[in-house]
Amino acid sequence: MQHPPSATLKILQGANLFASLPNETIAALGDIAMLQTRTAKHVLFLEGDPAPGVYVVSQGRVKISRISPNGREQIMTIVTPGHHFNIVPVFDGGPCPANAEIMMESELLLLPTIALRALVTQHPTLALLLLKECSSHMRSLVNLVDDLALRTVQGRLAKLLVHAATDEHKTPLTQAEVASQLGTVREMVGRTLRTFEMMGLIKLERGAIQVINQKGLMAQADDN
């Protein structure tokens, strides 16, 4: 059996999802993994496409979104290094539920659908891990629905800024991208950012957002 390249193993070992797996299971994943480099704006797949597999981000960022019939974008999540996406359709047999677009030059590992399904039958530890991850994914979607339905734009934006302030892989987002992630419009985001600035919670400088009162932002997220 040909051993997977050390670079592939390093990516898998550094991924949040697979870090706890035994070495032999990591090596088996490495045997099926395909290393890919993609440039900004490249579309990995669209909603409704057959699932190519589970992706792990090594470098860069990937936007996961859905588009409404009237063309409005809802960003579901932005995947950063060490994280993965597209696990659900690999195992439920359905098509991809969202679109995946590269935001900046990125390096990815693809674990192809058929090969990964076969591997799960041979490694019970991997099967249990992926079952737990699918359950966790469902919880995160419930939280997203909760945020959209029960929090104001002000509360959702405060929560997003707190999260971004603690993200070691953070990349500046445009106000349009923030609006798409929050399920609102750019003008509302701009007004809310100016309100936060007047409250002394953030500082706007040349399009960048600097958080200067994280505790105050958390209070806004909790109260709204």
Side-chain angles (χ1 to χ4, degrees):
M1 179 184 296
Q2 185 176 6
H3 293 294
S6 58
T8 299
L9 291 179
K10 186 176 180 179
I11 294 170
L12 289 168
Q13 290 166 343
N16 290 2
L17 179 60
F18 302 123
S20 64
L21 288 173
N23 290 336
E24 64 174 292
T25 306
I26 291 284
L29 285 168
D31 286 333
I32 68 169
M34 301 168 62
L35 189 62
Q36 302 179 345
T37 300
R38 297 288 183 261
T39 56
K41 303 297 184 181
H42 178 86
V43 176
L44 290 170
F45 53 77
L46 295 171
E47 177 184 351
D49 285 350
V54 173
Y55 286 89
V56 178
V57 179
S58 171
Q59 298 175 27
R61 284 197 164 204
V62 181
K63 176 176 67 176
I64 309 299
S65 67
R66 288 177 66 105
I67 307 295
S68 71
N70 65 3
R72 182 170 172 177
E73 181 183 52
Q74 170 68 56
I75 298 178
M76 301 173 67
T77 188
I78 294 175
V79 190
T80 55
H83 296 84
H84 64 281
F85 59 96
N86 208 47
I87 191 171
V88 172
V90 169
F91 295 103
D92 75 358
C96 296
N99 311 304
E101 180 182 335
I102 302 295
M103 298 183 70
M104 57 191 295
E105 185 170 345
S106 300
E107 183 180 70
L108 313 159
L109 275 186
L110 171 63
L111 302 171
T113 296
I114 294 176
L116 184 56
R117 284 178 182 169
L119 207 59
V120 164
T121 65
Q122 303 164 21
H123 295 265
T125 306
L126 178 61
L128 288 172
L129 181 71
L130 294 176
L131 178 61
K132 180 180 178 181
E133 183 60 22
C134 284
S135 301
S136 177
H137 182 68
M138 179 171 287
R139 283 187 182 275
S140 68
L141 291 179
V142 170
N143 289 335
L144 176 61
V145 171
D146 182 70
D147 278 347
L148 292 174
L150 303 179
R151 289 181 189 267
T152 64
V153 171
Q154 189 165 326
R156 299 202 298 274
L157 180 55
K159 183 179 179 181
L160 178 64
L161 292 175
V162 169
H163 175 75
T166 58
D167 181 3
E168 61 179 315
H169 300 291
K170 60 186 175 185
T171 299
L173 298 177
T174 66
Q175 289 190 19
E177 289 169 335
V178 170
S180 294
Q181 194 161 346
L182 298 180
T184 186
V185 294
R186 185 176 59 185
E187 291 75 15
M188 179 65 76
V189 170
R191 288 198 297 270
T192 307
L193 286 173
R194 289 191 292 274
T195 298
F196 285 166
E197 186 173 37
M198 287 187 292
M199 294 170 66
L201 304 177
I202 64 171
K203 184 177 181 180
L204 299 175
E205 207 169 51
R206 298 180 182 177
I209 305 169
Q210 180 184 356
V211 173
I212 57 179
N213 186 345
Q214 188 169 322
K215 187 176 180 180
L217 276 177
M218 290 176 66
Q220 288 296 316
D222 292 338
D223 293 343
N224 294 279

